[in-house]
Amino acid sequence: MRTYTVQRVPSVSGRVRTGATLLSCLASVLAAGLLLALLGLHPAALGLQVLHQSLANRYGLEDLALLAAPLAMCGLSVSLMLRVGLWNIGADGQFFVGAAGAAWIGLYGPSWSTLPMLALMGAASMTAGAAWIAVPALARLILGTSEIITTLLLNFVARLGIDWLVTGPWRDRASSVTAQSPRLPVAIPKLPRDWHLGGMHWGLAVVLALACVLALAFRFTRWGYELRICGANRNAASYAGMAVNRRLLEAMLLAGAVAGLGGMLELAGTVHRLQSGLSNGYGYVGIIVAVLAASSPLGVVVTGVLMALVLNAGTVLQTQGVPSSAAVALVGLILLSAAVGERLANYRLQRIPPAPRPGQAA
Amino acid sequence: MARTELLIRPLVQLSGITKSFYGVRANQSVDFSLAGGEIHALLGENGAGKSTLMNVLTGLYQPDSGCIAIEGHARRIDSPAAAIEAGIGMVHQHFKLVSAFTVAENIHLGWNETPFRAPAALLEARTAALSRRFGLAVRPSARVGEISAGEQQRVEILRVLARGARILILDEPTAVLTPPEVAILFAALRAFRAQGNAVILISHKLGEVLEIADRVTVMRAGRSIETCAAQGASRASLARLIMGDTSLPPMQESGRAVADDAAVRIELRGVTVRDHRGIALLDNVDLQVRAGEVLGVAGVAGNGQRALSEILTGNLRPDSGTVLLDGQAVAHPTPRRFARHGIGHIPEDRLRTALAADLSLAENAVLREYDRSPVARGPLFVPGRARALAVRIIDDAQLDRRDPSLPARNLSGGNQQRLVAQREARIADRVLVAAYPTRGLDIGAVASLHAAMHRLCARGIGVVLISEEIEELLDHADRIAVLFAGRIAGILPASDAESERLGLLMSGQALVPDAPDRDPGRAA
Ligand SMILES: Nc1ncnc2c1ncn2[C@@H]1O[C@H](COP(=O)(O)OP(=O)(O)OP(=O)(O)O)[C@@H](O)[C@H]1O
Ligand SMILES: [Mg+2]
């Protein structure tokens, strides 16, 4: 007779971990399909429709890219801090504040030509995002306050601040919409038409370039190595003579700047006006993007696209009478099963050797 | 002897245990039997598979093949809870207590006999009763964070015994104990044995093994190669069994008088360090480390050794006094400054301070040289060169696992220590500060570590050897400084030091009269 037992193994290779993540994504999509089937819909047909609408024509691809870009920026921001073992729950707030910084330059700044103007707006957004996380960062380093709570709370402050700006001082008085700023005089140019990405703007290239730069920096610089050690064991990092607090501060400020830049790209590339609907919870989905990618910058690009696909599916489902919150539920389901999958990757099913005949042991 | 063994049914019988990790055979058809009423020592080189075998017996790992019989009945042990049910308890080398809890709370944590309503007084009374019953002195209301390593270990053992263990497994229990604490532990083990229970003891200290064990099993490269009675065995015969044909490197001369005009590498002048409560860890310490000498630091652990090693390596700033490197006062000591100056540091707690256990061997091996050529190129980090350097370090450290991408956690305890020692010796151009560097090393590795230390000295590098073992210091140090309650109680040339005098100094009895009678923080 054969019996099996479940056994924990102390460490798993990266490949096994990636496989576990992929399997759990698949499992949650299947579970979602099952739910849809129970609702009397045809999950396979719906799935095909989602894929068709998102991938098979230029408008679908454009939508996908437009959604994936901010998700990837927030994902990069979160993964920067994950490198040193810290959680950035506040990418959403930094995204908004970055957009506000860029809008301020766009509306009230100099009137230069497009490129220098965009560069200045980018710099302003990064400064604003970094400044927004500076308070939680310093609180963490000086007082030991948990950055999870402080960065999260500042999201609400940021959102309320934007609400106030766009209904008050920066409100567009020429339009009948009460909660948005005037249209910015500059916009990020569109990609060439024959690239088949529809009306996607050059911000996409910025996202990809940033992901590549971060990936190279993590792997091929001393700074990246130091971040890795700081994330794995801070005692060992300071024993080895690294400036641990400085590295943590740099990672946090940079994370804020990246999320802020994401806000600027969204503002100047897609929305063109500051408004409180600028981020659709991108900062929060960014956490999932980073976790699924195991905080690898290139992985973030992939998982960003995946999450965009899931959110797009929500739009398609809406046309079938499924509430739009279904997509959010699916995102949650994916995160949940990825977390479970990561734990389970540590376990193996193992055959127990047959019991000895009585007397053999004596 | 053989006949009685046949008649007595063994308490535990492991037969044909095989366990591999990703292609490495950690255990290869191992047979092992434990009789009631014996203390059975399990010996073997680093990485021989001792911890793995015990983890199989306590249900942490499942064997790939082979079986376990308890009192003649085949038994499946698929979790530590099942092991405790079968009467098997293990005390791991790294204690697993909650340091913010009291002793009584730790004993009752996760125990199904803990009463549902558990006021502190009740738990403490129950703990006191257990402590009397098993003859292990503990103070039930003390917080675990504040008691000595020896007492923590007694709490661990009591935890296991309270749950009804009849088989006690101790993985290198004496590595962190002072000699009096070892004596207390051994007395308790003998009492436990007298009741017909059994002990499995993993140790690299052959003297202790001969003192307490009834039988000895030796493992080599994953196999059990011999089981014999401890009576009639000698250190030399055990060492031969453990090491096979490899021979120990010859021992170096020590106790050489180092010339008085030898350059002073590190000097401490009136250094005082206080902890956050204002208690002095080091009190007005003057010390010189000279080029080419082994400066031994003797003392019972907890008398300021940690602070001393951290001061000597820039990990701690003195509250008053000065630290001089090659005669130059250092205004703001940092570990980087000291490492750059050529000061290596083997800290006392390798997993907490010296290694990132989840990262690869390669990343751990270059921890000290990642910022210099060839691994670094300006601000760049060249992974290929880091890997090449790591392979060198892994080879020189003679690790049993050679794959640089393996996580450091997967190394056996002794192999982790070898990696740290090799890495630090490489950067030590001026001084190597080694705190208990032989902890967890097998006899061969201990000998090569000492040989490496003397090679450093021959190159004019100063070595600070912090140790609790008087014998090790007498054998290898040129001068011996004794630490007591944060002060230097005396510095003797090793040639005039004898054990008795050192022992008196270490216990504070030969201290100068004006010494304050402070408690050094160790339990009596
Ligand atoms: N979790 C693991 N994953 C991979 N390899 C492992 C793991 N645990 C142990 N090993 C390998 O199995 C072998 C035996 O290790 P084990 O810890 O049993 O040695 P040991 O006899 O206890 O040595 P030491 O005296 O150094 O503690 C070693 O080669 C080790 O690298
Ligand atoms: Mg071991």
Side-chain angles (χ1 to χ4, degrees):
Chain A
M1 193 192 78
R2 287 186 166 185
T3 35
Y4 288 85
T5 177
V6 174
Q7 188 182 7
R8 205 187 131 78
V9 293
S11 59
V12 224
S13 69
R15 212 172 302 153
V16 171
R17 201 165 288 273
T18 314
T21 307
L22 287 179
L23 271 182
S24 19
C25 288
L26 201 65
S28 42
V29 170
L30 287 181
L34 198 67
L35 280 178
L36 290 177
L38 288 179
L39 287 175
L41 297 160
H42 301 283
L46 279 177
L48 281 180
Q49 195 186 342
V50 168
L51 288 180
H52 185 77
Q53 294 208 354
S54 318
L55 302 176
N57 66 62
R58 59 188 310 149
Y59 299 107
L61 280 179
E62 176 190 341
D63 272 355
L64 200 63
L66 283 178
L67 199 51
L71 290 181
M73 287 301 279
C74 290
L76 288 176
S77 162
V78 175
S79 68
L80 253 165
M81 271 175 63
L82 275 182
R83 281 272 146 168
V84 290
L86 297 174
W87 286 94
N88 182 12
I89 314 293
D92 215 48
Q94 296 138 26
F95 187 88
F96 267 117
V97 173
W104 181 64
I105 296 288
L107 295 174
Y108 304 103
S111 38
W112 297 341
S113 60
T114 307
L115 263 177
M117 197 62 189
L118 287 175
L120 189 62
M121 283 165 67
S125 67
M126 290 170 73
T127 316
W132 201 246
I133 204 177
V135 175
L138 292 176
R140 162 83 214 197
L141 295 181
I142 297 170
L143 304 171
T145 321
S146 162
E147 79 287 351
I148 299 182
I149 312 277
T150 47
T151 53
L152 171 67
L153 291 181
L154 280 180
N155 284 346
F156 303 108
V157 180
R159 202 169 257 261
L160 287 173
I162 299 293
D163 276 347
W164 173 72
L165 277 178
V166 296
T167 52
W170 291 4
R171 186 183 146 198
D172 180 10
R173 302 193 189 275
S175 120
S176 57
V177 183
T178 53
Q180 63 180 21
S181 75
R183 198 182 162 89
L184 295 188
V186 282
I188 302 178
K190 305 259 181 227
L191 293 176
R193 286 234 125 228
D194 48 348
W195 284 14
H196 301 295
L197 277 170
M200 185 61 204
H201 54 82
W202 275 99
L204 186 66
V206 175
V207 177
L208 293 178
L210 187 66
C212 292
V213 167
L214 281 179
L216 291 175
F218 285 158
R219 197 168 147 65
F220 293 106
T221 64
R222 277 157 53 181
W223 180 77
Y225 175 80
E226 292 188 358
L227 290 191
R228 210 148 60 224
I229 301 287
C230 288
N233 181 354
R234 275 176 219 155
N235 289 327
S238 77
Y239 151 90
M242 298 174 189
V244 178
N245 279 347
R246 216 166 120 194
R247 292 292 101 86
L248 297 190
L249 185 66
E250 285 164 2
M252 289 194 259
L253 293 183
L254 210 54
V258 169
L261 183 62
M264 178 269 179
L265 296 180
E266 185 71 4
L267 177 82
T270 312
V271 182
H272 306 297
R273 293 169 187 269
L274 189 64
Q275 50 178 244
S276 48
L278 190 71
S279 156
N280 198 353
Y282 294 152
Y284 299 105
V285 182
I287 300 171
I288 304 173
V289 168
V291 169
L292 287 182
S295 72
S296 131
L298 296 179
V300 159
V301 174
V302 176
T303 54
V305 171
L306 272 180
M307 279 298 140
L309 200 60
V310 171
L311 294 182
N312 257 353
T315 328
V316 174
L317 290 180
Q318 238 173 321
T319 62
Q320 304 292 319
V322 181
S324 61
S325 51
V328 181
L330 181 55
V331 171
L333 196 61
I334 290 181
L335 181 65
L336 189 70
S337 53
V340 172
E342 183 178 353
R343 285 281 113 194
L344 285 186
N346 277 306
Y347 292 86
R348 297 276 177 286
L349 202 61
Q350 203 169 36
R351 193 168 69 83
I352 294 194
R357 279 163 279 119
Q360 180 189 319
Chain B
M1 176 89 196
R3 181 174 303 161
T4 47
E5 250 177 47
L6 275 183
L7 292 179
I8 300 170
R9 221 166 23 173
L11 204 48
V12 174
Q13 174 74 46
L14 301 178
S15 0
I17 300 287
T18 295
K19 174 77 196 167
S20 19
F21 295 102
Y22 317 111
V24 177
R25 287 271 167 93
N27 285 159
Q28 208 165 342
S29 38
V30 177
D31 296 327
F32 177 85
S33 84
L34 179 72
E38 77 163 337
I39 295 179
H40 196 134
L42 188 56
L43 309 181
E45 294 187 316
N46 293 135
K50 307 178 293 293
S51 300
T52 304
L53 187 67
M54 291 303 110
N55 286 337
V56 166
L57 179 54
T58 51
L60 274 175
Y61 296 149
Q62 289 300 316
D64 302 335
S65 64
C67 58
I68 302 174
I70 310 289
E71 294 184 308
H73 301 290
R75 184 116 190 197
R76 201 171 112 183
I77 299 181
D78 47 17
S79 70
I84 263 294
E85 226 167 82
I88 304 171
M90 176 155 175
V91 177
H92 295 267
Q93 187 175 1
H94 302 280
F95 301 150
K96 299 184 186 312
L97 299 172
V98 184
S99 52
F101 279 16
T102 65
V103 168
E105 285 164 345
N106 267 289
I107 298 242
H108 286 87
L109 199 63
W111 184 19
N112 55 15
E113 285 175 33
T114 302
F116 180 68
R117 271 180 46 79
L122 175 64
L123 294 189
E124 282 165 22
R126 287 171 54 102
T127 307
L130 286 170
S131 162
R132 272 194 305 279
R133 187 170 134 215
F134 293 109
L136 289 162
V138 297
R139 289 166 298 159
S141 59
R143 286 204 189 284
V144 162
E146 288 160 11
I147 62 180
S148 70
E151 193 169 350
Q152 287 186 17
Q153 187 176 57
R154 292 199 289 278
V155 175
E156 284 269 16
I157 296 176
L158 207 52
R159 238 182 93 88
V160 170
L161 297 188
R163 286 156 175 74
R166 289 165 305 133
I167 299 157
L168 181 59
I169 305 172
L170 300 166
D171 196 347
E172 301 190 32
T174 59
V176 292
L177 298 190
T178 63
E181 284 173 335
V182 171
I184 297 173
L185 171 70
F186 282 4
L189 293 186
R190 288 194 180 101
F192 185 67
R193 169 179 66 183
Q195 293 157 17
N197 301 315
V199 177
I200 303 175
L201 178 77
I202 300 180
S203 178
H204 294 295
K205 299 184 183 170
L206 301 184
E208 287 173 5
V209 166
L210 290 172
E211 179 191 336
I212 188 150
D214 302 305
R215 284 199 299 166
V216 173
T217 292
V218 176
M219 293 185 69
R220 201 190 298 155
R223 298 174 182 274
S224 62
I225 55 164
E226 174 131 357
T227 297
C228 61
Q231 255 192 344
S234 66
R235 273 187 192 218
S237 71
L238 289 182
R240 243 192 331 276
L241 277 177
I242 293 170
M243 309 213 1
D245 304 327
T246 41
S247 58
L248 290 175
M251 214 166 85
Q252 250 81 12
E253 271 295 289
S254 74
R256 299 158 299 137
V258 171
D260 279 339
D261 60 350
V264 176
R265 292 299 190 204
I266 306 186
E267 181 170 3
L268 304 184
R269 280 198 199 143
V271 165
T272 298
V273 177
R274 296 178 191 286
D275 68 4
H276 61 278
R277 289 171 299 185
I279 297 171
L281 301 172
L282 287 183
D283 191 356
N284 200 14
V285 166
D286 294 310
L287 196 66
Q288 296 186 332
V289 184
R290 302 215 195 104
E293 73 167 345
V294 177
L295 171 65
V297 176
V300 177
N303 276 286
Q305 283 90 339
R306 181 175 209 123
L308 180 66
S309 69
E310 291 185 349
I311 278 284
L312 288 173
T313 53
N315 281 279
L316 208 60
R317 288 184 191 179
D319 290 311
S320 62
T322 30
V323 184
L324 297 93
L325 288 184
D326 285 307
Q328 297 260 310
V330 184
H332 296 290
T334 60
R336 157 163 260 135
R337 170 92 206 269
F338 278 58
R340 284 261 149 144
H341 197 78
I343 292 165
H345 180 198
I346 305 176
E348 59 181 58
D349 192 345
R350 55 185 176 242
L351 273 181
R352 248 198 49 161
T353 1
L355 292 171
D358 291 323
L359 298 187
S360 67
L361 292 186
E363 281 160 318
N364 277 287
V366 302
L367 187 61
R368 289 303 208 155
E369 293 174 70
Y370 77 95
D371 57 352
R372 20 184 126 160
S373 165
V375 178
R377 241 188 179 186
L380 296 186
F381 176 87
V382 188
R385 297 203 188 141
R387 207 180 153 88
L389 175 63
V391 167
R392 272 253 321 267
I393 294 178
I394 289 169
D395 276 347
D396 292 345
Q398 297 178 326
L399 301 191
D400 64 341
R401 306 291 303 272
R402 299 281 154 115
D403 175 5
S405 49
L406 197 78
R409 184 181 298 294
N410 289 0
L411 288 181
S412 80
N415 279 291
Q416 291 170 355
Q417 186 73 9
R418 291 176 187 209
L419 175 64
V420 173
Q422 179 61 30
R423 184 184 75 196
E424 297 307 312
R426 279 178 60 89
I427 65 153
D429 287 335
R430 298 191 175 251
V431 174
L432 176 66
V433 178
Y436 315 102
T438 58
R439 250 181 208 174
L441 294 185
D442 64 35
I443 33 178
V446 168
S448 8
L449 182 102
H450 287 145
M453 243 166 48
H454 291 294
R455 277 200 303 276
L456 290 178
C457 285
R459 282 169 43 204
I461 293 160
V463 174
V464 180
L465 174 63
I466 300 177
S467 172
E468 274 180 325
E469 285 173 50
I470 294 184
E471 214 177 303
E472 180 185 17
L473 293 171
L474 288 175
D475 281 349
H476 298 284
D478 302 313
R479 292 190 301 148
I480 301 178
V482 181
L483 262 186
F484 178 74
R487 292 184 159 215
I488 301 284
I491 301 183
L492 320 170
S495 43
D496 333 336
E498 329 127 9
S499 316
E500 283 91 276
R501 179 145 165 70
L502 282 177
L504 284 180
L505 284 169
M506 281 167 68
S507 59
Q509 292 171 45
L511 209 60
V512 271
D514 70 317
D517 42 3
R518 241 173 311 125
D519 185 338
R522 302 288 296 211

